[in-house]
Structure formats: structure tokens, C-alpha cells
């Protein structure tokens, strides 16, 4: 079986800083795959490279069998690949519903009403807040909005960058429950998360990044039970 997403030997630089070093990984249809690692390990840089926001000097990124490493970032959601960025990045001056509609820019107008209904069914809180300015939402509500906005593009694969960042523990549990629900309903997920325990608990497989390199890979259970991973990332 071919992977739905494959990154092969990508190298990314910020000026003279070599941030991503020969990183290769793959995601198969129906999986939750997580990238874990310390701050500055290169997790978000990897996602942003897949999303077309950064360019790799070498290698390739293939999605649904098509090379996308040279595709403009604004064209990638139309291919079925959506990014929920670190820090939510919702449009703060727009309403909840306007934010969601922005997520559907790749879709025919005739589908938007049903897509909104589907998102509101999954996130009842957003339905309650549909006319509210996004900047007045709580952090957890903004994360739901960012995820709902990505769902409006009907992604085959959703990339989530630090979805639990800055949230209270009870909201972290809620966000991870939503991730599992999305997965059960057929969305393939690539998850970047500093909360390694939560990420590995829901992931089929994981990759561990250190200083821009993948140093370990395994199933979620294997990584959770690894003494080295426990010491480095799980406080064990």
C-alpha cells in the first residue's frame, strides 16, 4: 500500500541554520501519526514544509501520489491537505462563521451550507458562537474554530500543529477526544505535539525528532513504553 503522504530526505534552512536534516517519514490512509520532540526540534518546520509554507533544499514531498514540494501553499488545501497552524491563527476580527467560510475557499459555493452544518454538529460550541467575533473566544474555542475551519476544505489528511498549546488540562482532554473522533470518522491525521504522552496515546505510529533529525520511530505503544522516550519526554 502506498502512503497518502511521503516526505523523502527533506532539508530546510533558516539562513545558515540547518533546521531539518534529511527527514523522511510517511503517513498511511487512516492513521494518526505524530511527530514528537523538544522545543526547537523541527516539528513545526516539518509541517510547514509539507504545507508549502517553507521550501526544502532537497528531496521530495508526495501527497496522494503527486509531488507537492513546489506547489504554492494556497493551492495545497484544494488537494485535500489541511494545516491547523500552531497558535490557531484564526481571523480575530471576523465572526466564527466568517472564519469557517474562509476555510471553504477551495470548495463550490453550493457545498458550504452543508459543510457549516457538519462543523456545527461536530462543534456545538461554535454553533452557539457563530456570530461572535473570533478574537473574543477562549483559547479552547479558538482551537475548535481552527479545526473546524480546516474541516471546511474536506481534507483527506489534516495536519495539527501543537493543538494543546496553552490550554488547560481539561481542554487538552477535550481536544484530544475530538482528534480521536475525527480519526474514527475517516480523517487521516499528522499531529505535532509537545505533550508526548497525549500524542502517543492516540497515535498509531510516531517519529521522534531531535535537532532536526528523526532519531526514533515506532508504534505509539512502543514509544510510550520505551525507557529512553520516557526519560526524555514523559517525565519517566
Amino acid at each position: 500500500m502506498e502512503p497518502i503522504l511521503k516526505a523523502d530526505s527533506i532539508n530546510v534552512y533558516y539562513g545558515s541554520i540547518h533546521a531539518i536534516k534529511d527527514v523522511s517519514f510517511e503517513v498511511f490512509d487512516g492513521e494518526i501519526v505524530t511527530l514528537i520532540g523538544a522545543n526547537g526540534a523541527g516539528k513545526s518546520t516539518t509541517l510547514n514544509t509539507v504545507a508549502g509554507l517553507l521550501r526544502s533544499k532537497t528531496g521530495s514531498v508526495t501527497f496522494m501520489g503527486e509531488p507537492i514540494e513546489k506547489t504554492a501553499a494556497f493551492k495545497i488545501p484544494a488537494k485535500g491537505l489541511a494545516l491547523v497552524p500552531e497558535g490557531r491563527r484564526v481571523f480575530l476580527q471576523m465572526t466564527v462563521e466568517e472564519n469557517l467560510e474562509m476555510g471553504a475557499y477551495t470548495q463550490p459555493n453550493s457545498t458550504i451550507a452543508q459543510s457549516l452544518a457538519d462543523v456545527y454538529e461536530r462543534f456545538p460550541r461554535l454553533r452557539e458562537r457563530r456570530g461572535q467575533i473570533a478574537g473574543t473566544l477562549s483559547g479552547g474555542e479558538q482551537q475548535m474554530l481552527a479545526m473546524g475551519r480546516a474541516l471546511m476544505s474536506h481534507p483527506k489528511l489534516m495536519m495539527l500543529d501543537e493543538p494543546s498549546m496553552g490550554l488547560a488540562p481539561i481542554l487538552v482532554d477535550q481536544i484530544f477526544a475530538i482528534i480521536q473522533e475525527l480519526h474514527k470518522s475517516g480523517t487521516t491525521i499528522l499531529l505535532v505535539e509537545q505533550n508526548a504522552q497525549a500524542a502517543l496515546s492516540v497515535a498509531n505510529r510516531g517519529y521522534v525528532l531531535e535537532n532536526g533529525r528523526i532519531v526514533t520511530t515506532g508504534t505509539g505503544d512502543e514509544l510510550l513504553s520505551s525507557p529512553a522516550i520516557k526519560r526524555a519526554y514523559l517525565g519517566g
Side-chain angles (χ1 to χ4, degrees):
M1 184 171 66
E2 284 295 307
I4 187 172
L5 175 70
K6 182 178 178 65
D8 186 27
S9 299
I10 58 175
N11 285 271
V12 181
Y13 292 79
Y14 293 112
S16 61
I17 298 169
H18 194 177
I20 297 294
K21 302 162 186 169
D22 286 318
V23 163
S24 299
F25 66 91
E26 53 193 20
V27 181
F28 289 89
D29 192 25
E31 284 191 308
I32 298 179
V33 172
T34 187
L35 306 179
I36 65 168
N39 262 344
K43 306 183 302 295
S44 294
T45 298
T46 300
L47 280 201
N48 287 332
T49 303
V50 172
L53 297 167
L54 296 170
R55 293 285 178 229
S56 176
K57 293 284 188 188
T58 64
S60 62
V61 179
T62 306
F63 181 64
M64 305 282 290
E66 178 188 353
I68 60 168
E69 67 271 5
K70 294 180 181 175
T71 302
F74 75 91
K75 294 182 177 179
I76 284 182
K79 298 180 181 297
L81 184 60
L83 172 65
V84 179
E86 182 181 356
R88 274 73 89 173
R89 304 282 181 89
V90 297
F91 300 106
L92 297 176
Q93 305 303 320
M94 297 167 68
T95 67
V96 165
E97 190 149 306
E98 287 167 343
N99 267 272
L100 293 174
E101 289 170 346
M102 289 294 285
Y105 75 92
T106 63
Q107 303 299 307
N109 287 340
S110 58
T111 68
I112 291 176
Q114 184 57 54
S115 298
L116 279 171
D118 293 343
V119 168
Y120 287 144
E121 185 175 352
R122 188 175 296 282
F123 299 101
R125 184 73 59 85
L126 297 184
R127 182 192 288 115
E128 295 167 13
R129 305 276 197 272
R130 65 198 301 170
Q132 191 168 325
I133 298 299
T136 65
L137 299 177
S138 70
E141 289 166 345
Q142 287 189 17
Q143 185 62 52
M144 292 177 197
L145 179 55
M147 294 168 76
R149 181 179 62 189
L151 285 172
M152 292 290 290
S153 68
H154 299 282
K156 297 179 179 68
L157 189 153
M158 181 184 287
M159 300 191 295
L160 293 159
D161 194 354
E162 302 283 9
S164 76
M165 181 183 284
L167 300 183
I170 190 167
L171 288 173
V172 173
D173 292 344
Q174 197 173 347
I175 291 299
F176 273 90
I178 291 167
I179 291 169
Q180 288 178 291
E181 285 171 21
L182 288 172
H183 179 236
K184 284 176 187 170
S185 65
T187 304
T188 304
I189 292 169
L190 177 58
L191 171 65
V192 155
E193 180 56 62
Q194 214 172 336
N195 186 335
Q197 177 82 43
L200 292 171
S201 296
V202 301
N204 300 101
R205 293 186 302 111
Y207 294 87
V208 181
L209 277 162
E210 284 182 12
N211 299 318
R213 295 186 189 278
I214 289 174
V215 295
T216 311
T217 184
T219 68
D221 288 340
E222 286 168 350
L223 294 175
L224 271 175
S225 61
S226 159
I229 300 301
K230 283 181 179 176
R231 281 195 304 273
Y233 303 108
L234 306 177

